[in-house]
Amino acid sequence: MHFTLTDLVTDITQNAVEAGAGIVELEVSSLSNESDGNGEFRFLVKDNGKGMTEEELKKAIDPFYTDGIKHPHRKVGLGLPFLIQTAEQSGGGWDIKSEKGKGTVVTAWFDSGNFDTPPLGDLPGMFRTILMFNSDAEIIIRRKKLGGENTVLSEYEVVKSEVIDAVGSLEDAASLVLLGEYLTSLEND
Ligand SMILES: Nc1ncnc2c1ncn2[C@@H]1O[C@H](COP(=O)(O)OP(=O)(O)OP(=O)(O)O)[C@@H](O)[C@H]1O
Ligand SMILES: [Mg+2]
C-alpha cells in the first residue's frame, strides 16, 4: 500500500471537521538538521468539536473497533489506529488529548530518516484539499520549517475565511487554480 504523510494529516483533519468543530487549527512543521542529516516531520490538529470521553477515545484508537456509523460494512476503523501504527513503526510517536464536549488535540511526529516513514507527499495540495472540505468551520493552517536547535527558517499561516475573501468561492475552478498557485508559492518561498 502506498500512502504519504499528507494522507494521514488529511484524514486526521477530516475527523476534526466531522466532529462539528467551529475552529480547526492545523500545525505542520518539519525539522531538517543539516549537521547529522536527521529530520522530523510533526503535525498537530486541534479542534473544538464534540470531543471524546476516555472510553470513546480508547475505542477510537483500537484498530479492531469501529462505531459502524460511517462505514457500516467495514469491520475496523482506519484513521487513528493507522496513524498510531505508522508513527510507532517509524521511530516517531503520537499524543491524543480529548475532552467530551470541548474538543480534541492530535499530535504525531515522524523520523524523516527512518526507512519506514512514509514519503511526505504534496503539502500545498494537501492544504488546498483541507481548505476545500465542505464545512463552515474556520480552518487555520500554520506551517513552519525549522533548522538546527529549532530555529525557524520560514513560516506562513493560511486562514480559510481570509482565503475565501481573497479568491471567492472555493467551488469555482478558476479560484482553485489560483489557490493552488498561492499555496505552492508560500511553501516554496
Ligand atoms: N477529532 C475528533 N473529535 C471527536 N471524535 C473523534 C475525532 N477523531 C476521531 N473521533 C472518533 O473516533 C472515531 C474513529 O475515527 P477514525 O478516523 O479512526 O474513523 P472514522 O472517522 O469513523 O472513519 P474513517 O475511516 O473514514 O476515518 C470516529 O468515528 C469518531 O467517533
Ligand atoms: Mg476518520
Side-chain angles (χ1 to χ4, degrees):
M1 189 155 133
H2 298 280
F3 65 97
T4 60
L5 290 172
T6 55
D7 292 330
L8 295 174
V9 179
T10 305
D11 201 59
I12 299 307
T13 310
Q14 186 170 9
N15 280 347
V17 169
E18 286 171 352
I23 303 177
V24 176
E25 290 168 75
L26 166 63
E27 293 177 16
V28 173
S29 65
S30 43
L31 165 75
S32 47
N33 201 333
E34 310 239 312
S35 55
D36 60 8
N38 282 328
E40 184 185 78
F41 174 83
R42 178 181 283 269
F43 75 90
L44 176 150
V45 178
K46 180 177 177 196
D47 71 66
N48 62 353
K50 66 182 179 180
M52 289 173 275
T53 63
E54 214 173 300
E55 190 62 22
E56 285 171 330
L57 177 57
K58 238 197 211 151
K59 288 177 182 165
I61 65 176
D62 177 349
F64 299 105
Y65 177 84
T66 172
D67 65 12
I69 295 172
K70 202 172 151 196
H71 305 283
H73 301 293
R74 194 194 277 168
K75 293 283 178 292
V76 297
L78 280 183
L80 290 172
F82 192 55
L83 172 74
I84 290 169
Q85 187 194 345
T86 308
E88 287 181 350
Q89 273 177 359
S90 58
W94 59 280
D95 183 59
I96 303 173
K97 293 201 168 57
S98 193
E99 208 177 321
K100 190 69 179 172
K102 288 239 165 111
T104 303
V105 185
V106 179
T107 315
W109 54 97
F110 301 84
D111 175 356
S112 317
N114 192 297
F115 184 80
D116 289 316
T117 295
L120 175 60
D122 172 15
L123 262 189
M126 176 190 84
F127 290 147
R128 189 171 74 162
T129 299
I130 286 170
L131 291 167
M132 286 167 62
F133 282 156
N134 184 16
S135 116
D136 291 331
E138 177 68 297
I139 296 178
I140 302 168
I141 295 169
R142 294 191 192 92
R143 164 76 170 132
K144 270 187 192 163
K145 295 182 194 170
L146 306 172
E149 281 157 23
N150 286 328
T151 45
V152 179
L153 302 176
S154 66
E155 60 184 321
Y156 59 86
E157 185 176 286
V158 180
V159 178
K160 181 169 176 176
S161 59
E162 293 173 4
V163 166
I164 292 173
D165 283 346
V167 304
S169 155
L170 293 180
E171 276 136 51
D172 171 73
S175 308
L176 290 180
V177 172
L178 264 181
L179 176 58
E181 284 170 358
Y182 174 61
L183 294 169
T184 303
S185 75
L186 285 177
E187 179 62 23
N188 295 335
D189 221 14

